[in-house]
């Protein structure tokens, strides 16, 4: 059986990547573990949203909307359960991000670092928008749509994400 | 049965997944639960790694401090000795003043009373997995007698309260969280105001009328009125005052070191902690009985 396969259309040729067994589980667990350790041991890194970066990466790589949204849902719910937010806040937002990222991944080549940088920043903004929307509409909690801190966080996540994605590329099956 | 075109299957799945989670949110809000089963599984799965991580980081820190950072130890020791002597002097001065001031006397009584308060030392093993909330996990849980809404403090001041309890772990909502709050008062004037988190490193003294005298450097302590935190625990110091309408914006620097929380104390009681030897005769005959512990809030 082939490790990778191609989505071929009239004009595009986009490769779908697969990973070694257990990679997704281990990387997800590691991301959640690190995310929970940052506030205690390295508060400066608290601006990072590793679970979001992992969701975007695997969704873009697998390029399958169903897989992307289910992975996003699981990662989001796990993040919720390690936070104090009600279950579903990050679950919903990462479900949508997983779906959108994998849909875009199926249509565009997202391997170039510049494309990744832009996509991560956009997805970070979208994710934040969904989280704020849920807080405002479903939880009746007034959250600001945008702060300078969020702008900086989007930029930091985009830069760190590009580097992280290069590392994660090494885990792909060749 | 209606067949769903394959290109729409993922869209249907997305709609289903989102609706399911909206429903999950609604159930949690309606029943005031926090999806405890999934949380228990996740915390149980992650906490051993957090413990191991905390242990490793402590090991690296200790190795560094004990073997590589000893260059200035002699000088530091000398400075610490000097500071210790100075602190002893200050403590003596405070102790002598305590006999003259009723408030300090009550504080000392309270300190005496602390000896009988069941307390539990706990270690912070992890934080919240989202950067918008301020919560940490402790390595003690239900098996150690911890319950929801118990107060968490350090010798420096108030840290927060327990919001979730698992078998071997518990989650603390830090005072700096936006949803956190504590009944407080100014240490000097004894005027009461609530203090809440601002989501950052500072706290806010709330509902201070513009004509109320509040000064920079004023100490803020717990009032004990919220029935969670004992009276007279340090909350922080006022560092900024801005006039605003209808209330002043008063920023408080927390007394507890939230930047590097490592070891904390959980007060294993939810009863109001009255000063031990407060003369009962002074209390009015029809004084209200202490309220029961607060109902679960989240």
């Amino acid at each position: 059986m082939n490790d990778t396969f191609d989505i071929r259309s009239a004009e595009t040729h986009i490769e779908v990547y697969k990973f070694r067994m257990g990679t997704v589980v281990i990387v997800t667990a590691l991301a959640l573990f690190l995310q929970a350790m940052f506030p205690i041991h390295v508060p400066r890194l608290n601006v990072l949203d590793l679970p979001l970066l992992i969701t975007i990466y695997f969704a873009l790589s697998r390029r399958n909307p169903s897989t992307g949204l289910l992975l996003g849902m699981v990662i989001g719910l796990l993040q919720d359960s390690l936070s104090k937010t009600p279950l579903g806040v990050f679950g919903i937002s990462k479900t949508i991000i997983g779906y959108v990222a994998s849909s875009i991944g199926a249509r565009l080549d997202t391997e170039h670092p510049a494309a990744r940088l832009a996509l991560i920043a956009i997805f970070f903004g979208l994710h934040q928008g969904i989280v704020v929307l849920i807080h405002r509409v479903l939880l009746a909690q007034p959250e600001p749509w945008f702060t300078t801190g969020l702008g900086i966080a989007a930029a930091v996540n985009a830069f760190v994400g590009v580097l992280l994605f290069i590392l994660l590329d090494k885990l792909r099956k060749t | 049965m209606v067949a769903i075109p394959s290109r729409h299957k993922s869209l249907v799945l997305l709609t289903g997944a989102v609706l399911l989670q909206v429903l999950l949110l609604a159930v949690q809000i309606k029943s005031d639960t926090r999806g405890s089963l999934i949380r228990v599984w996740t915390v149980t799965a992650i906490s051993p790694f957090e413990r191991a991580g905390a242990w490793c980081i402590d090991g690296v820190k200790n190795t560094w401090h004990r073997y590589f950072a000893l260059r200035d130890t002699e000088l530091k020791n000398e400075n610490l000795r000097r500071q210790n002597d100075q602190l002893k002097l200050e403590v003596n001065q405070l102790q002598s003043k305590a006999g003259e001031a009723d408030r300090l006397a009550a504080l000392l009584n309270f300190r005496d009373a602390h000896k009988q308060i069941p307390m539990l030392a706990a270690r912070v093993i992890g934080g919240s997995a989202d950067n918008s909330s301020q919560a940490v996990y402790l390595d003690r849980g239900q098996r150690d007698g911890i319950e929801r809404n118990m107060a968490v403090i350090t010798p420096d001041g108030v840290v927060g309260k327990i919001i979730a309890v698992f078998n071997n772990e518990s989650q603390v909502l830090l005072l700096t969280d936006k949803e956190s709050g504590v009944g407080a008062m100014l240490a000097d004037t004894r005027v009461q105001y609530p203090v809440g988190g601002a989501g950052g490193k500072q706290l806010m003294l709330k509902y201070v009328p513009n004509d109320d005298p509040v000064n920079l450097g004023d100490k803020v302590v717990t009032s004990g009125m919220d029935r969670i935190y004992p009276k007279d625990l340090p909350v922080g110091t006022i560092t900024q005052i801005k006039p605003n309408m209808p209330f002043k914006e008063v920023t408080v620097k927390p007394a507890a070191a939230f930047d590097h929380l490592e070891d904390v104390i959980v007060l294993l009681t939810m009863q109001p902690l009255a000063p031990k030897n407060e003369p009962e005769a002074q209390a009015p005959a029809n004084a209200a009985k202490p309220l029961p512990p607060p109902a679960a809030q989240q």
Side-chain angles (χ1 to χ4, degrees):
Chain A
M1 196 177 93
N2 284 337
D3 288 339
T4 60
F5 62 94
D6 296 345
I7 296 174
R8 288 172 189 275
S9 64
E11 289 121 9
T12 58
H13 173 185
I14 294 174
E15 203 170 15
V16 173
Y17 295 101
K18 290 195 169 183
F19 297 86
R20 292 185 184 88
M21 209 170 75
T23 302
V24 178
V25 175
I26 293 169
V27 170
T28 302
L30 196 63
L32 287 166
F33 165 71
L34 289 175
Q35 192 70 39
M37 297 299 277
F38 285 158
I40 306 303
H41 300 288
V42 203
R44 280 174 193 276
L45 294 183
N46 213 14
V47 293
L48 289 179
D49 191 341
L50 290 180
L52 175 65
L53 296 179
I54 297 301
T55 304
I56 296 170
Y57 178 78
F58 285 122
L60 287 175
S61 299
R62 297 303 299 265
R63 308 180 199 281
N64 179 331
S66 302
T67 312
L69 75 91
L70 288 176
L71 183 69
M73 184 174 78
V74 171
I75 293 177
L77 286 174
L78 288 172
Q79 189 179 7
D80 278 323
S81 58
L82 284 173
S83 314
K84 73 169 183 60
T85 52
L87 290 179
V89 174
F90 289 109
I92 293 171
S93 51
K94 286 189 171 59
T95 302
I96 295 171
I97 293 295
Y99 176 82
V100 176
S102 49
S103 300
I104 288 176
R107 287 169 177 77
L108 301 172
D109 182 11
T110 54
E111 297 300 301
H112 194 277
R116 286 177 165 181
L117 188 83
L119 279 174
I120 296 170
I122 291 167
F123 283 134
F124 186 90
L126 178 62
H127 177 265
Q128 188 58 31
I130 298 166
V131 169
V132 173
L133 191 72
I134 293 168
H135 274 283
R136 283 175 170 245
V137 177
L138 295 178
L139 303 177
Q141 292 171 348
E143 290 278 331
W145 287 104
F146 182 79
T147 61
T148 317
L150 284 176
I152 294 168
V156 171
N157 275 278
F159 279 110
V160 172
V162 170
L163 298 176
L164 181 69
F165 286 13
I166 292 169
L167 283 178
L168 292 173
D169 286 344
K170 313 268 184 213
L171 302 175
R172 287 172 172 172
K173 274 185 178 176
T174 50
Chain B
M1 198 166 154
V2 181
I4 301 168
S6 63
R7 67 179 183 281
H8 289 156
K9 271 184 183 162
S10 58
L11 205 58
V12 172
L13 194 61
L14 172 71
T15 312
V18 171
L19 283 179
L20 192 74
Q21 291 176 87
V22 170
L23 204 66
L24 182 66
L25 269 174
V27 168
Q28 290 170 83
I29 294 163
K30 177 95 176 157
S31 62
D32 196 24
T33 61
R34 301 170 70 231
S36 58
L37 196 58
I38 299 177
R39 278 182 205 279
V40 168
W41 290 343
T42 314
V43 171
T44 307
I46 292 282
S47 65
F49 297 103
E50 287 184 326
R51 283 169 198 265
W55 184 81
C56 289
I57 290 168
D58 282 353
V60 171
K61 274 185 187 171
N62 286 339
T63 309
W64 176 260
H65 288 307
R66 287 179 187 167
Y67 298 101
F68 297 106
L70 290 176
R71 287 168 55 198
D72 302 325
T73 305
E74 184 64 33
L75 189 67
K76 280 181 187 167
N77 260 347
E78 189 56 40
N79 285 340
L80 285 173
R81 268 194 215 108
R82 237 177 268 153
Q83 274 182 5
N84 196 25
D85 291 342
Q86 223 168 6
L87 287 172
K88 276 180 187 170
L89 204 67
E90 283 176 22
V91 168
N92 284 339
Q93 284 173 346
L94 282 175
Q95 281 175 339
S96 67
K97 284 181 185 172
E100 300 167 12
D102 288 346
R103 188 182 63 75
L104 285 179
L107 196 63
L108 283 175
N109 288 339
F110 171 67
R111 194 182 292 170
D112 286 343
H114 266 70
K115 289 172 188 167
Q116 276 124 36
I117 297 170
M119 297 177 188
L120 182 72
R123 168 171 284 192
V124 177
I125 57 169
S128 178
D130 74 295
N131 47 22
S132 62
S133 61
Q134 310 238 352
V136 295
Y137 283 92
L138 304 182
D139 66 346
R140 307 281 196 145
Q142 205 167 21
R143 287 185 183 171
D144 304 292
I146 293 181
E147 292 173 23
R148 273 185 79 179
N149 284 325
M150 282 180 168
V152 181
I153 62 171
T154 66
D156 296 326
V158 176
V159 169
K161 68 171 183 179
I162 303 285
I163 54 166
V165 186
F166 309 97
N167 263 350
N168 295 308
E169 299 83 20
S170 50
Q171 192 181 23
V172 180
L173 182 67
L174 299 180
L175 203 53
T176 45
D177 188 273
K178 277 181 282 186
E179 292 172 25
S180 204
V182 55
M185 60 186 172
L186 298 179
D188 291 336
T189 61
R190 317 304 279 175
V191 181
Q192 295 185 6
Y193 305 100
V195 166
K201 292 177 180 176
Q202 305 293 318
L203 306 173
M204 300 301 290
L205 194 68
K206 295 177 178 174
Y207 312 121
V208 183
N210 281 309
D211 48 356
D212 271 18
V214 176
N215 302 311
L216 289 176
D218 279 358
K219 303 281 181 198
V220 181
V221 296
T222 51
S223 66
M225 298 302 283
D226 51 23
R227 309 280 172 180
I228 292 176
Y229 303 98
K231 200 175 171 185
D232 278 323
L233 289 176
V235 173
T237 308
I238 293 177
T239 54
Q240 196 177 42
I241 304 167
K242 282 185 193 167
N244 204 346
M245 289 302 289
F247 301 108
K248 286 179 184 173
E249 272 181 32
V250 183
T251 308
V252 176
K253 184 186 176 195
F258 286 99
D259 275 350
H260 42 273
L261 272 182
E262 289 181 3
D263 296 299
V264 295
I265 296 165
V266 183
L267 300 184
L268 294 177
T269 176
M270 292 167 67
Q271 296 302 315
L273 304 173
K276 189 181 156 193
N277 53 357
E278 194 173 24
E280 286 179 13
Q282 287 179 8
N286 59 350
K289 288 181 181 174
L291 291 173
Q297 289 170 353
Q298 290 191 3

